Each structure stands twice: as C-alpha cells, then as structure tokens.
Amino acid sequence: MQSIRIALDAFGGDNAPQVNVDGAFLALKEFQDLEILLVGREEDLKPLIKESPETSRISIVDAREVFPMSEKPSLLLRKKETSLYKAAIQVKDANADALVSAGNTGGVLAAALFVVGRIKGVDRGAIAVLVPSKNGFTILIDAGANAEARAEHLRDFGTMGYEYAKLLGREKPKVGLLNVGEEQEKGTELTKLAFDYLKNDLGDSFAGNVEGRDINYGDVDVVVCSGFDGNIAMKTMEGTGKLISATLKKEIKKSGLFGIIGALFLKRALGRLKKTMDPSEYGGAFILGVKGAVVKAHGNSNALAIKNAIRVAYQGVKGDLIKKLEEKLGGK
Amino acid sequence: MQSIRIALDAFGGDNAPQVNVDGAFLALKEFQDLEILLVGREEDLKPLIKESPETSRISIVDAREVFPMSEKPSLLLRKKETSLYKAAIQVKDANADALVSAGNTGGVLAAALFVVGRIKGVDRGAIAVLVPSKNGFTILIDAGANAEARAEHLRDFGTMGYEYAKLLGREKPKVGLLNVGEEQEKGTELTKLAFDYLKNDLGDSFAGNVEGRDINYGDVDVVVCSGFDGNIAMKTMEGTGKLISATLKKEIKKSGLFGIIGALFLKRALGRLKKTMDPSEYGGAFILGVKGAVVKAHGNSNALAIKNAIRVAYQGVKGDLIKKLEEKLGGK
C-alpha cells in the first residue's frame, strides 16, 4: 500500500516545535499508512523524537530558519531556508503529498499559492474553514484568502466547497451563496452573477442565497462568499462569542443563591462551549485550489489541534481531493 | 416651549395597533413636551385611547389601509392611504418632526427616502443600528439600506454615525471602518479610498480600520460599512447567538447534579442575555440622511420597544440631529 507523506512545518506556530512533534506522533499512531517529514532545525528536533513504534515513519528535513508569525507574507519567497518554505518545497517536488503548518497565515497562503502552485485554470485559491453550526459544522469558503472576489471566483469556491464537504462525509452537500436575503434578485451585481454561475455549475446542490445567520445556524453544508465577507463573518462570530461569555460571567455575580453552583455549572458549560466554537477542534483551514493538500492549523495549536490538522490533510490526500478539483476546475 | 410632534404608524408591526398605542402613552408620560399623531383607522384607534392626563397630547390622523409586512417596498408610493405613507406625509408637510414605525422595513426605508426625502447633497440614506457591545452599544451604519456602497457613501455614513453617537451621549465618538485587518493598506479598493475620505472628514475621531470582532467587542463607538456587510454582520451575530443558546441548553441535560439549579440559573441568564443581545431594547434603527427623524422599531415590538423607538426619535429632534447633518453633509 502506497503510504501518505505529509510535510509538517515543525517550527510554525506559537508552541512549536514541541506540540508539533507531539501532534505528529498522535497522527502516526492513528494512521498506519502515514509518514511525516518534520521540517526544521535538526539539532532541535532530534531530542524531541523518542524511540517508539512510530519512529520509523518520521524523518527530519533540515531547515535553518523560522518564518516569523508577524512577517510580511510576500517575504516568504525570499526566505528559502525557513521551515515553512522548505516544507512547501517538499510538496512542490512531490516528495510529500501535503503541507501542514501552524505558522504565519499569510505565509502559509503564499507557500500554497506560489510554492506549491495553483491548479491550472483556477484563478484564486481559497481558505475553507469549518465553523461550528447546529449540523456540527458549516464550511465557509473563502474565509479570507482574497479580499476582492469576482463572480467566477465565487463559482469556483462553490465547487471547491462542495468537494471538500463530500470529503468530510456530507453525502449530498448543499451549497449556499452568502447574501442579504434569500430571493434571487437580492444583493449586489457580484452576487447576482455568482448566483447564476453557481446554479449552472452545481445544479440541485446549489441551495441559492443564504444569510449571515445560516453560517452558524442554517441547513447548508457550505457557505460561499468573498474573502472580505468571510473574514468579517468569522471575526463577528468571535466578537459575539466574547460578548456572550462576558455577559454570562457577569450574571454569576448577580445570581445570588445560585451563584456558587451557577459558577461551577457555567465554568463547565463555557468550557465545552469554547470547544464547540473553536475551529481548531475541526482540524484547521484547508487552502483549496492548489496542486497539493495544504492545511493551516491555528497559531496557538496544541498537540491535538496539530494532529487534527494532519488528519484533515491526510483525508484530503486519501480522498483524492486535489485530483477531483483538477478534473472539475482544471483547464477551464 | 415648542413641543415635539411625532407621527406614529399606529398599524405598523406584528402587534399593532394595541402595543403601538400603549407605547405612545408610555412615551407621553416620559416626555411632557411630546405630542403624538396616531396614524391609522380612526374607528379602531379611538377605543384604545383611554382618558388620562396624556390624552390631550395625542391625536388621530385617519388612514384607511395598512402597508403589509411582506409587501414590496416600492409599492408604498402607490399606496397613499396606508398608515405608513400618511405618517410619512405628516413629516414631509412639517406637520410632524419625526416618523416612527414598526412596519415593513423596506417600506419604512422607502417612506424615509422618497416621501420624507433625502438631505440635499446626501447620495444615500443609511440605517444606523445599535448593537450590544462591551461599552453598552456600538452604532453599526449602514445596517442594510443599500447593498452596494461607494467610498463617498461610507464617508457620509461616518459623519452620520459620529453625530448620532454624540446625540446618544458619547462625548468624543470614535469611528472605525469595517475591514479585514487594522493596517491602512488592508482590504479592497473601496475600503482604501473610504479610509482616506473618513480620515479627511473626521480627523482624530476616525480610529482607522476595525475588524468584525470590534462590532460586539471593540472600543469604537461607530462601525462604518456597506449595507451588504452590515447585514451580513448583524445576521451572523444572530446565528452565533442562537447556536450558543442552543449549546448551553444542551449542557443542562449533560450537567448531572447541577442540572436542576443549572437550568434555573441558565433560564435567568439566557433571558437577560437575550435582552442584552436584542437591538429593540435600544430603541430600533435610525434612518439617517433624510430631512426628518425616521425611526424603525422591530416588527415584533412590544409597548416598551415602541416607547424606546419614540424616545430615540424624540432625542433626535431635541438634539437637532437633522440640522447638524444638513450643515455637515448638505450641498456637498
């Protein structure tokens, strides 16, 4: 059986390299046909690799530098000794099937688009993020790869999101277009044109226009939008979540008799709530439209989040996601 | 002392006319220099007006029809016998200083823009909504009057939001531009141009770019955005709130020992939370850029929400909001 090889940016993220290595081992335990290339300073990584049944499936690709979390993304292409760049090169050179990084988001995006490279015929890559919803999760695409979007891009995002949803187990994914109302004539010139394109490409799988409330609490599997609106929506969710948590905590103080037990209860409930609302639980963001599986894990990932990100990349390779997108979007 | 006259669409909203009349009396009790014109079917309204010290300051303007909640807004101009249209005419004819309606949102917008009329030199009216935030509230403008927006419109929304914030008691309002990042170069061609305009018009009162999380959990008093993004943000908040409430309720079932008390506690906390997150508590949406104070109350308003909407309109007139906007934006 052909094993799946994933290049892990061992020095990307706030808690690197320890949690990255720990996450790698968690993934290796879970998937027997997985091999991981740890990319980063060899002398720092070696001591972190303990002898275990998994050790034979892990190897190190030396990279001397780290691409800083706050660095200007465009500089990645000039920093060829960074663990992020070198991990991306592994995919470009077909030495690995996928790239996983918890590093600088813009940097990972640059690595995906300009090192791994876009699928021929795909104009724009997109970030697909799983946001919590009453169905478990909804795929939001584009979550922020591009600020501006043309209708043709939204059309491609629809196909990317559809295939990604199938990969994640949704049998007949429904795709919605983010708009200000459900009627077809609603919205801007962009959404009106995108509506026609999506209808044409996705047929019955296109559920038409959806609204902001449908991202967290709707019935579609995929919500298509420009990177600008995806970013606004994601961060609005974050702000609303913070306000609600803060408000509930205040309630504790006012809750008299209930105070003590209420606090205990709420501590637990908010803990689980945070988990529900935390995208990193879902394995990070998949960068779609490029010639390899590229997954961005949260910068503050712990070992579990790194493992989840590796799992998503593994599933992407196993499910031939890139090939399916090349067939549907390639050479358009 | 010159009294303030407000035309109330007595038949607008899901609970009209009863709560509208009750709300009117609550407002008349609160403001001694307030007069209210109840616009609607005289024979239905008369029985609802009980003899009281306030009765002398309430009068009826007869209107035979009701503009349906689901009607196409553009049809308002052809339905001159509706309570909404006739209430707007009162403002146009300077027989009232303000219009308050809990009716069809698009209809109220049409009444504001095409019956009351835009301020000369103002290209677009905008809906200013108060959304809950850690500072109490943040003004979101435009919350959905126009899908498309040009940079000149966002510039005007900034001035409108600034003056509205001052009216609501913010001494030195800070205005932010909704964007995907805080750096000036972030975003689209639209936001880059709008950034320069807002900086030029508002000077130090312009706080630069803000992000989605700043709507509910930021430090600015006003967030400026296109009606498309304002609508996305508002409805995303709604969806996130619903998901969180549903998640917490599920916790009750899992919370074993804490279950009973937890449920009692949560019932109260969620009740207060709902109140915190409900814009109608803040008096509805002010439609800015028109030659009169026009306030849209929630369709499902109760008497208190109607009173709050009347209060906001009253404050707008009392504070000369329209005149200030005419001075700053007029004849541009």
Side-chain angles (χ1 to χ4, degrees), chain B residues 130 272 274-284 298 302 304-305 308-309 311-312:
Chain B
L130 306 192
R272 209 172 312 193
K274 197 167 176 306
K275 209 169 128 96
T276 312
M277 297 299 292
D278 176 5
S280 76
E281 290 293 324
Y282 296 90
H298 268 222
N302 54 21
L304 176 68
N308 286 338
R311 190 197 71 236
V312 174

mmCIF file of all heavy atoms in Angstrom, chain B residues 130 272 274-284 298 302 304-305 308-309 311-312:
data_model
loop_
_atom_site.group_PDB
_atom_site.id
_atom_site.type_symbol
_atom_site.label_atom_id
_atom_site.label_comp_id
_atom_site.label_asym_id
_atom_site.label_seq_id
_atom_site.Cartn_x
_atom_site.Cartn_y
_atom_site.Cartn_z
ATOM 1 N N LEU B 130 -28.101 50.092 16.768
ATOM 2 C CA LEU B 130 -27.267 49.956 17.956
ATOM 3 C C LEU B 130 -27.125 48.472 18.264
ATOM 4 O O LEU B 130 -28.107 47.797 18.533
ATOM 5 C CB LEU B 130 -27.901 50.658 19.154
ATOM 6 C CG LEU B 130 -28.276 52.128 18.982
ATOM 7 C CD1 LEU B 130 -28.609 52.750 20.327
ATOM 8 C CD2 LEU B 130 -27.153 52.898 18.311
ATOM 9 N N ARG B 272 -31.688 37.272 30.418
ATOM 10 C CA ARG B 272 -31.039 38.587 30.449
ATOM 11 C C ARG B 272 -30.130 38.757 29.245
ATOM 12 O O ARG B 272 -30.014 39.839 28.674
ATOM 13 C CB ARG B 272 -30.256 38.755 31.747
ATOM 14 C CG ARG B 272 -30.166 40.207 32.157
ATOM 15 C CD ARG B 272 -29.573 40.392 33.534
ATOM 16 N NE ARG B 272 -30.174 39.512 34.550
ATOM 17 C CZ ARG B 272 -29.973 39.682 35.851
ATOM 18 N NH1 ARG B 272 -29.227 40.678 36.288
ATOM 19 N NH2 ARG B 272 -30.502 38.863 36.726
ATOM 20 N N LYS B 274 -30.589 37.442 26.262
ATOM 21 C CA LYS B 274 -31.442 37.751 25.117
ATOM 22 C C LYS B 274 -31.722 39.261 25.115
ATOM 23 O O LYS B 274 -31.618 39.935 24.104
ATOM 24 C CB LYS B 274 -32.740 36.951 25.237
ATOM 25 C CG LYS B 274 -33.527 36.855 23.945
ATOM 26 C CD LYS B 274 -34.623 35.786 24.069
ATOM 27 C CE LYS B 274 -35.492 35.730 22.821
ATOM 28 N NZ LYS B 274 -36.061 37.050 22.456
ATOM 29 N N LYS B 275 -32.029 39.779 26.314
ATOM 30 C CA LYS B 275 -32.310 41.203 26.454
ATOM 31 C C LYS B 275 -31.087 42.019 25.999
ATOM 32 O O LYS B 275 -31.207 42.968 25.226
ATOM 33 C CB LYS B 275 -32.625 41.499 27.927
ATOM 34 C CG LYS B 275 -33.576 42.667 28.152
ATOM 35 C CD LYS B 275 -34.035 42.715 29.618
ATOM 36 C CE LYS B 275 -33.819 44.084 30.203
ATOM 37 N NZ LYS B 275 -34.963 44.970 30.190
ATOM 38 N N THR B 276 -29.899 41.579 26.465
ATOM 39 C CA THR B 276 -28.671 42.300 26.097
ATOM 40 C C THR B 276 -28.456 42.284 24.596
ATOM 41 O O THR B 276 -27.992 43.251 24.009
ATOM 42 C CB THR B 276 -27.446 41.622 26.756
ATOM 43 O OG1 THR B 276 -27.740 41.400 28.131
ATOM 44 C CG2 THR B 276 -26.214 42.499 26.626
ATOM 45 N N MET B 277 -28.792 41.149 23.974
ATOM 46 C CA MET B 277 -28.488 40.991 22.555
ATOM 47 C C MET B 277 -29.611 41.499 21.652
ATOM 48 O O MET B 277 -29.516 41.408 20.439
ATOM 49 C CB MET B 277 -28.229 39.512 22.235
ATOM 50 C CG MET B 277 -27.034 38.902 22.945
ATOM 51 S SD MET B 277 -25.469 39.719 22.511
ATOM 52 C CE MET B 277 -25.323 39.227 20.778
ATOM 53 N N ASP B 278 -30.687 42.005 22.243
ATOM 54 C CA ASP B 278 -31.834 42.385 21.429
ATOM 55 C C ASP B 278 -31.842 43.877 21.110
ATOM 56 O O ASP B 278 -32.071 44.703 21.979
ATOM 57 C CB ASP B 278 -33.119 42.007 22.176
ATOM 58 C CG ASP B 278 -34.354 42.478 21.410
ATOM 59 O OD1 ASP B 278 -34.183 42.998 20.289
ATOM 60 O OD2 ASP B 278 -35.464 42.323 21.939
ATOM 61 N N PRO B 279 -31.536 44.224 19.857
ATOM 62 C CA PRO B 279 -31.466 45.634 19.459
ATOM 63 C C PRO B 279 -32.719 46.423 19.811
ATOM 64 O O PRO B 279 -32.653 47.621 20.058
ATOM 65 C CB PRO B 279 -31.287 45.556 17.944
ATOM 66 C CG PRO B 279 -30.672 44.227 17.698
ATOM 67 C CD PRO B 279 -31.287 43.323 18.742
ATOM 68 N N SER B 280 -33.884 45.755 19.854
ATOM 69 C CA SER B 280 -35.123 46.510 20.096
ATOM 70 C C SER B 280 -35.078 47.176 21.472
ATOM 71 O O SER B 280 -35.718 48.191 21.710
ATOM 72 C CB SER B 280 -36.344 45.604 20.003
ATOM 73 O OG SER B 280 -36.462 44.817 21.163
ATOM 74 N N GLU B 281 -34.280 46.604 22.372
ATOM 75 C CA GLU B 281 -34.099 47.214 23.689
ATOM 76 C C GLU B 281 -33.500 48.612 23.551
ATOM 77 O O GLU B 281 -33.634 49.446 24.426
ATOM 78 C CB GLU B 281 -33.173 46.358 24.546
ATOM 79 C CG GLU B 281 -33.783 45.042 24.988
ATOM 80 C CD GLU B 281 -34.942 45.262 25.962
ATOM 81 O OE1 GLU B 281 -34.871 46.196 26.784
ATOM 82 O OE2 GLU B 281 -35.918 44.503 25.889
ATOM 83 N N TYR B 282 -32.790 48.822 22.443
ATOM 84 C CA TYR B 282 -32.077 50.085 22.278
ATOM 85 C C TYR B 282 -32.864 51.106 21.476
ATOM 86 O O TYR B 282 -32.365 52.137 21.103
ATOM 87 C CB TYR B 282 -30.712 49.827 21.633
ATOM 88 C CG TYR B 282 -29.819 48.988 22.503
ATOM 89 C CD1 TYR B 282 -29.821 47.603 22.392
ATOM 90 C CD2 TYR B 282 -29.008 49.583 23.465
ATOM 91 C CE1 TYR B 282 -29.015 46.820 23.208
ATOM 92 C CE2 TYR B 282 -28.206 48.816 24.280
ATOM 93 C CZ TYR B 282 -28.210 47.435 24.142
ATOM 94 O OH TYR B 282 -27.410 46.663 24.955
ATOM 95 N N GLY B 283 -34.101 50.758 21.146
ATOM 96 C CA GLY B 283 -34.943 51.764 20.524
ATOM 97 C C GLY B 283 -35.022 51.723 19.019
ATOM 98 O O GLY B 283 -35.460 52.677 18.397
ATOM 99 N N GLY B 284 -34.590 50.623 18.423
ATOM 100 C CA GLY B 284 -34.782 50.492 16.983
ATOM 101 C C GLY B 284 -33.717 51.203 16.170
ATOM 102 O O GLY B 284 -32.729 51.688 16.704
ATOM 103 N N HIS B 298 -38.592 47.378 15.770
ATOM 104 C CA HIS B 298 -38.719 45.973 15.376
ATOM 105 C C HIS B 298 -40.163 45.621 15.043
ATOM 106 O O HIS B 298 -41.083 46.111 15.704
ATOM 107 C CB HIS B 298 -38.248 45.079 16.518
ATOM 108 C CG HIS B 298 -36.793 44.749 16.404
ATOM 109 N ND1 HIS B 298 -36.280 43.505 16.652
ATOM 110 C CD2 HIS B 298 -35.743 45.519 16.033
ATOM 111 C CE1 HIS B 298 -34.971 43.520 16.457
ATOM 112 N NE2 HIS B 298 -34.620 44.740 16.100
ATOM 113 N N ASN B 302 -42.857 45.202 21.383
ATOM 114 C CA ASN B 302 -43.882 45.335 22.422
ATOM 115 C C ASN B 302 -43.996 46.836 22.753
ATOM 116 O O ASN B 302 -43.307 47.660 22.152
ATOM 117 C CB ASN B 302 -43.492 44.526 23.668
ATOM 118 C CG ASN B 302 -42.097 44.898 24.164
ATOM 119 O OD1 ASN B 302 -41.592 45.976 23.848
ATOM 120 N ND2 ASN B 302 -41.488 44.011 24.933
ATOM 121 N N LEU B 304 -42.944 48.556 25.203
ATOM 122 C CA LEU B 304 -41.681 49.158 25.654
ATOM 123 C C LEU B 304 -40.789 49.483 24.459
ATOM 124 O O LEU B 304 -40.204 50.572 24.386
ATOM 125 C CB LEU B 304 -40.947 48.194 26.597
ATOM 126 C CG LEU B 304 -39.568 48.667 27.057
ATOM 127 C CD1 LEU B 304 -39.700 49.887 27.970
ATOM 128 C CD2 LEU B 304 -38.818 47.544 27.789
ATOM 129 N N ALA B 305 -40.702 48.551 23.507
ATOM 130 C CA ALA B 305 -39.859 48.783 22.326
ATOM 131 C C ALA B 305 -40.387 49.957 21.505
ATOM 132 O O ALA B 305 -39.607 50.768 20.996
ATOM 133 C CB ALA B 305 -39.798 47.519 21.476
ATOM 134 N N ASN B 308 -39.370 52.996 23.330
ATOM 135 C CA ASN B 308 -37.940 53.255 23.121
ATOM 136 C C ASN B 308 -37.682 53.861 21.744
ATOM 137 O O ASN B 308 -36.858 54.771 21.607
ATOM 138 C CB ASN B 308 -37.141 51.961 23.262
ATOM 139 C CG ASN B 308 -37.025 51.533 24.717
ATOM 140 O OD1 ASN B 308 -37.166 52.352 25.622
ATOM 141 N ND2 ASN B 308 -36.813 50.240 24.937
ATOM 142 N N ALA B 309 -38.401 53.379 20.736
ATOM 143 C CA ALA B 309 -38.229 53.924 19.390
ATOM 144 C C ALA B 309 -38.677 55.381 19.349
ATOM 145 O O ALA B 309 -38.014 56.247 18.766
ATOM 146 C CB ALA B 309 -39.009 53.094 18.388
ATOM 147 N N ARG B 311 -38.650 57.357 21.879
ATOM 148 C CA ARG B 311 -37.646 58.092 22.650
ATOM 149 C C ARG B 311 -36.465 58.486 21.760
ATOM 150 O O ARG B 311 -36.013 59.633 21.774
ATOM 151 C CB ARG B 311 -37.140 57.250 23.830
ATOM 152 C CG ARG B 311 -36.274 58.038 24.811
ATOM 153 C CD ARG B 311 -35.462 57.120 25.710
ATOM 154 N NE ARG B 311 -34.408 56.464 24.968
ATOM 155 C CZ ARG B 311 -34.240 55.141 24.890
ATOM 156 N NH1 ARG B 311 -35.061 54.321 25.518
ATOM 157 N NH2 ARG B 311 -33.260 54.637 24.170
ATOM 158 N N VAL B 312 -35.993 57.528 20.961
ATOM 159 C CA VAL B 312 -34.851 57.810 20.090
ATOM 160 C C VAL B 312 -35.207 58.924 19.099
ATOM 161 O O VAL B 312 -34.422 59.848 18.882
ATOM 162 C CB VAL B 312 -34.409 56.541 19.341
ATOM 163 C CG1 VAL B 312 -33.318 56.873 18.324
ATOM 164 C CG2 VAL B 312 -33.893 55.499 20.320
#
